[in-house]
RNA sequence: GGCCCCAUCGUCUAACCCGGUUAGGACACAGGGUUUUCAUCCCUGCAAUAGGGGUUCAAAUCCCCUUGGGGUCACCA
């Protein structure tokens, strides 16, 4: 039998990073088993702007390279893949349950239900439905219906039963069905409710493994009962623990963004976004915060980095393997090795995976990845000429492992324009230092006359000059500050070569002027 | 509160199923080395079985209790 798994997001306008991890596990399992991965859109709630709300979710899958075999855009034999378009299926299933006496029209008013609940609470006993409508005669029921009295359709839970599932992650879990209130399966407006729609759909889509977040575990007994009542083939369940906020055990939530800004682990991510996004013409919103996939895409993470981190969040291959490509994860993924306890999301660890994969990335791909950032930051303009690409290539090579995220490339601003930020404090320290300007001036004259302007010749020239003057660090630091404005970055010789003789001399000149006025 | 789930370094985890390891790895952190800065890279260090009872020659591992944490209790998904 072919394994079929699904991820069923509601169109909310963003893809939660924890939700992505759950989806990823379902995807990995399907791929590992050579099965199918299906995307179904659970839009039974009110209609929102579908394309706007669904866009970021599909984009997250596309960006990470997690393809779906059936679903929006690709179709499939079991469609449509939007619950809002599957009403007939739900109607038929509801009819079936009514006919077999496993669902009933409940005419209770919300007030009555609330009162029942309050009473149960007061008596400290679990609430279950009173089922008054079940006592109605056939004639009464017909009359109520004819009168147009409002009703909901409830599933008749068989009480007094012990229900068990063998969850692939959590093991054997049991419930007492006597404690389960009869769930509403069709609401007053005729729309199906989640627990019902999902059962109908999982069966019709022939989902073999329902792999979903742990918060659905408590929905499971109802769904099992519903499957049974409908005569469906029972899927196998696997409940993946939720992803917790860094340094906590609480579920990572988009609603807590303000709080996360103060979280020491998240802080860096927010601060980097505050710094970088404006330069790219983006703003930081809850939908584009470290809680969502879009943040990582926009700030220039690699799918390989994010996927590696997500894969290791609650799953491990063995006692030591950390670095895994997507192919390796597909090769080795099993649900048995998913950890039962919730895992705290660790931005530091994600960053270390990212560093690794960025280091591995071939130069050409680094260039392709950086170009959009250079363009967005207006450091280069399109179309990219071969000369321009060649220059970018040299910058990236010189920048080396300092490039962790694609957006880091905008930190090399000084290579692309003559106006660039200057670290005042360090400038004071390195350039305005006693005796340094004179040294710099004299060395500039040397630079103006060196035969060639290459790494080797510059190094030779500087070494010779430094030996003559009996200095070492001072000159190098001053050179760096005056030509790039920052104390960190590629080697000084690389910087000078990339800038070229003319610009280097101009910048030294400008720096000397600046030092004078300081 | 009811129901359900979970519990190993600060964090992610391995060892647990099928009892015997100096409880391993990684991230982070600290220190050192390489380097013209930074980054990289290398070395070293720090650091855990929530508590209590059993069972057993032997318990992180099996059982029970406690504690703690979490999820969920809708005409949301």
């Amino acid at each position: 039998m072919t394994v079929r798994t699904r991820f069923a997001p509601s169109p909310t306008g963003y893809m939660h990073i924890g939700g992505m991890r759950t989806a990823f596990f379902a995807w990995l399992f399907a791929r590992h088993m050579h099965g199918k991965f299906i995307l179904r859109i659970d839009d039974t709630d009110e209609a929102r702007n579908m394309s706007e709300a669904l866009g970021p979710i599909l984009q997250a899958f596309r960006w990470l390279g997690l393809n779906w075999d059936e679903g929006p855009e690709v179709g499939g034999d079991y469609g449509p893949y939007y619950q809002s378009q599957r009403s007939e299926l739900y109607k038929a299933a509801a009819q079936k349950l009514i006919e077999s006496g496993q669902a009933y029209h409940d005419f209770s008013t919300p007030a009555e239900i609330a009162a029942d609940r309050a009473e149960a609470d007061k008596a400290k006993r679990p609430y279950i439905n009173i089922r008054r409508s079940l006592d109605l005669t056939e004639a009464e029921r017909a009359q109520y219906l004819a009168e147009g009295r409002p009703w909901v359709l409830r599933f008749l839970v068989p009480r007094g039963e012990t229900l068990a599932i063998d969850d692939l992650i959590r093991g054997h879990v049991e419930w007492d069905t006597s404690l389960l209130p009869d769930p509403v399966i069709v609401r007053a407006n005729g729309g199906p409710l989640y627990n019902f729609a999902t059962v109908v759909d999982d069966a019709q889509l022939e989902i073999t493994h329902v792999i979903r977040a742990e918060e659905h575990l408590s929905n499971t007994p109802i769904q099992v009962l519903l499957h049974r009542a409908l005569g469906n083939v029972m899927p196998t369940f696997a409940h993946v623990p939720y992803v917790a906020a860094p340094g906590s055990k609480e579920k990572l939530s988009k609603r807590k963004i303000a709080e996360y800004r103060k979280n020491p682990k998240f802080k860096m991510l927010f601060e980097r976004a505050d710094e970088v996004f404006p330069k790219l013409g983006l703003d930081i919103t809850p939908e584009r915060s470290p809680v969502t996939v879009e943040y990582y895409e926009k700030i220039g993470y690699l799918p390989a980095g994010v996927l590696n981190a997500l894969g290791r969040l609650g799953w491990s291959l063995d006692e030591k393997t950390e670095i895994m490509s997507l192919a390796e994860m597909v090769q080795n993924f099993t649900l048995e090795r998913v950890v039962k306890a919730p895992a705290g999301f660790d931005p530091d660890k994600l960053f270390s995976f990212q560093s690794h994969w960025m280091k591995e990335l071939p130069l050409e791909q680094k260039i392709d990845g950086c170009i959009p950032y250079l363009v967005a930051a207006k450091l280069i303009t399109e179309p990219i000429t071969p000369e321009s690409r060649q220059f970018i290539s040299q910058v990236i090579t010189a920048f080396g492992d300092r490039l962790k995220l694609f957006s880091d490339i905008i930190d090399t601003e000084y290579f692309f324009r003559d106006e660039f930020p200057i670290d005042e404090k360090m400038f004071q320290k390195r350039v305005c230092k006693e005796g340094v300007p004179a040294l710099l001036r004299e060395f500039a004259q040397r630079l103006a006359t060196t035969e060639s302007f290459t790494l080797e010749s510059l190094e030779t020239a500087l070494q010779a000059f430094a030996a003559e003057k009996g200095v070492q660090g001072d000159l190098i630091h001053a050179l760096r500050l005056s030509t790039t404005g920052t104390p960190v970055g590629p080697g000084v010789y690389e910087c000078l070569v990339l800038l070229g003789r003319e610009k280097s001399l101009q910048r030294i000149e400008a720096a000397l002027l600046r030092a004078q006025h300081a």
Side-chain angles (χ1 to χ4, degrees), chain A residues 230-241:
Chain A
L230 255 6
N232 297 335
V233 175
M234 198 68 67
T236 301
F237 294 93
H239 288 92
V240 182

Side-chain angles (χ1 to χ4, degrees), chain A residues 135-146:
Chain A
D135 298 331
L136 262 30
T137 64
E138 213 36 68
E140 285 171 320
R141 190 181 346 267
Q143 192 199 331
Y144 280 13
L145 251 19

